[in-house]
Amino acid sequence: MAADASGSGEKRRPSWGNVDDQHWSRTRREMNEEALEYYRERSKAPGVAEGGGLRNVYCMECDGVIPVEYDRAEPADRGAKRTCPHCGVELDASIQRMFNWVEIDRAPPSDVRALLPLALGALAVLAALAAAVVWLVAR
């Protein structure tokens, strides 16, 4: 409880604005306990106390907070390997774990192998149609 601003020393409840106990935010206070516990644990990750940077990435190994460094490095340092300052694991420059998603900056593999059976089937059907046309014309 906060002390009364009037100086009377009385304890008063913090102001939630025009929110009574029937407001959806208050009626659901016991819900999502699992998510709240996750965030409590995340607040204990390495680097959280230091605050990170304006934007952060997270180590895939120790969940530590690492400031984002997109293209801020000097040209000579851009090819250098980065390591986690907390656990020392090498960071993959093409994968960055953000707050609630992972950004993967890699060219996708070719789809030729997946499309090959479809293309061969289409060629077989086309060849069968061509053979049927030739057979009909030659009669």
Side-chain angles (χ1 to χ4, degrees), residues 15 35 37 39 50 66 79 95 109 121 127:
S15 172
E37 185 57 36
Y39 291 123
E50 292 84 4
I66 306 166
I95 300 174

Side-chain angles (χ1 to χ4, degrees), residues 12-26:
R12 62 181 176 89
R13 291 180 50 184
S15 172
W16 298 102
N18 193 15
V19 177
D20 62 2
D21 286 337
Q22 299 304 313
H23 189 268
W24 68 267
S25 65
R26 309 291 273 160

